[in-house]
Amino acid sequence: MSSVLLILAGAFALLGLWETACYWFFYDNYYQFGPVAQREEWQSGVPVEVAHSAMGRLLDTGEIAGSRRGDIYCFRQDGWEWTPMPRSVVIVVEGIRGAAFVHEVRQFFGVLWFALGFAGWMASSGHEAFGAFIALLAPFYQLTAWRINLKAWGRLRSIRRALRLVGVQVCEHCGYDLHGLPVNHECPECGRFSDGKQGRPNPDRIRRCIDQRVDARRGQAVVHVMAGLLMWMLNAGVWTLAGLLIVGRRGMKSFELDTAFWGIFTVIALVMLVVMVVRRRMEIEDEELEMPEPGGGYHLKRIEGLGFVGKVMARLLLLGPELVLNGLSCLRGERTSDSDLERAVRILTEMMGRMGGMPWEDLRGREDSLDEVHRTVQWLNQQGWIGFSERGRRVFLYTQSRNELHAGE
C-alpha cells in the first residue's frame, strides 16, 4: 500500500511540474485544454488582419503576460504564487461585421497537484492521518481561492481597453458586448456605465458597492485562512521530517516513530504561531538604509548572502501563520453594525461632493459622536475607500473609489 501511495505522490508531483511548465511557457494546447469557466465573444468592426495587429501591439506593451501561438493568444498572471490562477486564451475569428474575439478562461491546478503529491508522500511514510488532512483541505482551498481569483481577473480589462481602438466595447462589470451602442451609453444588461461616466451620488448605489467590496474582502480573508492552514501544515510537516532524518530513526518502533513525529510537529507548529504573534505585537521602527562598505571582499558578500537566505527561510517558515492571522484580522474588520454602515454611506456621499481632502471631524453628523465617526472612517480606510493625509487629520476619497461609487443619472 505504501508503494502505491508513493507512486501516486510522484505522479501528482510530476503532473504539477508539467502543468506549471505549460502555464509558464504558454503551451497553446494546454491553454485550450480543460473545462471553460468563463466564455465571452467581443465583436469589432475591423478586418481580421487589423485585429491581429492590435493584439500584437498589446503584447508589445507588456501590460499583461501573454504570447501569440499561431492564431490564438495565451494570457496568464505575471508571476507564480501558491494560489489557483486563471489562464485565458483569446482567439480571433471572422465575425458578422468584422473580426470577433473569443475569450475563454480556465483553471490552473498546479497547486492542487503539489499538495496531493505531498499528502501521498506523507501517507506512504506512515502518517495517514496527516496525509488525509492535506488531501481533504487542498481541494476545498482550490475551489475557494479559484472563485476569488476569477473575480479579480476582471475579464482581462487591460486587453479590452486596448481593443477599444478597433471598436471592441464590453461592459467592465458584467461582460456584456456593447458593440453597436453609442458611446456613454449604459449597459442594457446591468444598467451601469463602463466608461467612467459620473452622475449624481446615489446612496443605494453606494450601499451596493460597499456590500460588494465587503463580500469580496470576506472571500479573500477565507482564502488567506485556508492558504495559511495549508502552508502551515506543509511547512511544519517538512521541518518535522527534516528533524527526524537528522536525528535518525534506527531501532525505533513504529508507534515510537509516530509519537515522535506528532510531538515534533506540534512543537514546530506552536513555535511558528508564537513567533508570528510576538512579531506582530512588537513595535517595528523604520531604520535608515545603510550603504555597504566598499571592499568588503568575498567573505563579507558570503555572509550577506547567508543572511538573505536566512530571511527567505524565515519568511517561508512564518508564511502559514501570517496568512491565517491576516485572514482572521480581515474577518474581524468586516464586522460592522447597521448604524455604522449607514454612517459610512452618508460619509462617502458627502465626500463625493468634494474634490479635495477634508478634516475627518467635519464628517460628523448631528447624532454622531467623534468616536463613532473616527471608527467609521478607520473602517472605510481598511476597506480601501478613503485615505489619510497630514498625519491622519485629513481624509480624501480615492479616485478609483469616486469612479466606482458614481452612478448614472
Side-chain angles (χ1 to χ4, degrees):
M1 185 63 180
S2 60
S3 59
V4 175
L5 291 175
L6 189 60
I7 293 175
L8 288 176
F12 281 128
L14 292 177
L15 184 59
L17 291 175
W18 173 82
E19 186 176 6
T20 302
C22 294
Y23 178 85
W24 188 262
F25 293 105
F26 301 106
Y27 184 51
D28 54 346
N29 291 331
Y30 162 72
Y31 271 76
Q32 298 180 86
F33 177 78
V36 179
Q38 182 175 288
R39 187 180 189 276
E40 297 175 356
E41 293 186 8
W42 310 329
Q43 181 65 45
S44 70
V46 298
V48 175
E49 295 78 10
V50 179
H52 280 293
S53 178
M55 293 294 294
R57 290 195 300 269
L58 173 63
L59 293 178
D60 293 338
T61 60
E63 294 183 6
I64 187 172
S67 178
R68 181 176 180 177
R69 294 291 186 266
D71 293 333
I72 72 171
Y73 298 84
C74 307
F75 297 95
R76 61 168 171 79
Q77 287 187 347
D78 190 9
W80 195 90
E81 300 175 355
W82 283 94
T83 55
M85 298 169 293
R87 48 187 169 101
S88 300
V89 293
V90 176
I91 308 174
V92 181
V93 297
E94 186 69 39
I96 300 177
R97 304 175 183 175
F101 301 84
V102 180
H103 174 223
E104 297 178 347
V105 183
R106 295 176 174 85
Q107 286 197 56
F108 169 75
F109 295 94
V111 178
L112 179 62
W113 305 137
F114 287 130
L116 293 178
F118 180 78
W121 178 46
M122 293 298 299
S124 65
S125 62
H127 307 289
E128 293 84 0
F130 185 81
F133 176 77
I134 296 297
L136 293 175
L137 181 63
F140 180 76
Y141 164 70
Q142 172 81 20
L143 294 176
T144 306
W146 162 249
R147 294 184 60 185
I148 303 300
N149 285 311
L150 179 62
K151 186 176 182 179
W153 193 235
R155 295 186 174 87
L156 297 180
R157 293 184 177 180
S158 59
I159 293 181
R160 290 185 284 100
R161 290 171 181 171
L163 294 179
R164 287 180 179 179
L165 298 176
V166 295
V168 173
Q169 299 184 49
V170 183
C171 178
E172 297 181 0
H173 304 283
C174 67
Y176 188 83
D177 190 2
L178 303 176
H179 182 75
L181 295 177
V183 183
N184 297 335
H185 193 281
E186 65 180 11
C187 175
E189 183 71 16
C190 64
R192 290 185 281 185
F193 291 89
S194 298
D195 58 355
K197 181 182 178 182
Q198 298 180 357
R200 295 172 297 182
N202 189 335
D204 294 334
R205 162 71 172 156
I206 294 175
R207 190 175 294 103
R208 289 197 302 269
C209 291
I210 293 178
D211 293 338
Q212 291 173 2
R213 182 167 296 190
V214 168
D215 294 338
R217 287 178 60 86
R218 187 180 295 113
Q220 293 173 1
V222 173
V223 171
H224 281 180
V225 173
M226 298 303 300
L229 289 175
L230 181 61
M231 293 301 299
W232 198 350
M233 299 298 104
L234 291 177
N235 272 330
V238 170
W239 286 99
T240 301
L241 290 178
L244 290 176
L245 291 176
I246 293 175
V247 174
R249 57 182 188 181
R250 288 185 178 181
M252 297 181 64
K253 298 180 180 180
S254 59
F255 71 91
E256 294 178 351
L257 181 61
D258 293 339
T259 304
F261 174 84
W262 289 112
I264 298 175
F265 176 83
T266 304
V267 171
I268 292 178
L270 291 177
V271 168
M272 293 165 63
L273 177 61
V274 171
V275 171
M276 196 67 246
V277 172
V278 172
R279 182 182 176 185
R280 284 205 163 200
R281 292 185 177 181
M282 291 176 58
E283 295 182 0
I284 302 177
E285 298 180 358
D286 295 334
E287 299 180 358
E288 296 182 355
L289 297 178
E290 297 181 357
M291 298 297 294
E293 297 182 0
Y298 169 76
H299 296 286
L300 179 59
K301 295 181 179 179
R302 186 178 182 182
I303 294 175
E304 293 176 353
L306 292 176
F308 174 75
V309 173
K311 291 181 180 179
V312 173
M313 295 298 293
R315 175 67 176 173
L316 292 176
L317 183 65
L318 301 177
L319 179 60
E322 182 179 5
L323 288 175
V324 172
L325 293 178
N326 286 339
L328 293 178
S329 61
C330 187
L331 286 175
R332 288 194 300 267
E334 304 302 334
R335 301 172 184 172
T336 181
S337 62
D338 294 338
S339 59
D340 290 336
L341 181 59
E342 294 300 326
R343 188 180 302 108
V345 173
R346 180 184 58 78
I347 289 176
L348 290 179
T349 304
E350 184 174 351
M351 294 188 67
M352 289 172 62
R354 305 189 183 186
M355 297 303 297
M358 57 186 299
W360 64 268
E361 295 91 343
D362 294 349
L363 298 172
R364 179 182 180 183
R366 295 181 179 179
E367 300 179 356
D368 298 333
S369 64
L370 289 179
D371 292 338
E372 292 175 341
V373 175
H374 189 259
R375 182 177 67 247
T376 305
V377 168
Q378 286 184 330
W379 184 79
L380 289 173
N381 175 256
Q382 294 174 357
Q383 295 290 316
W385 293 109
I386 63 177
F388 290 96
S389 62
E390 296 182 8
R391 298 182 180 180
R393 302 306 304 176
R394 295 178 65 87
V395 295
F396 61 91
L397 187 64
Y398 291 123
T399 303
Q400 182 180 1
S401 301
R402 187 181 300 276
N403 295 334
E404 183 178 351
L405 293 171
H406 270 292
E409 297 182 2

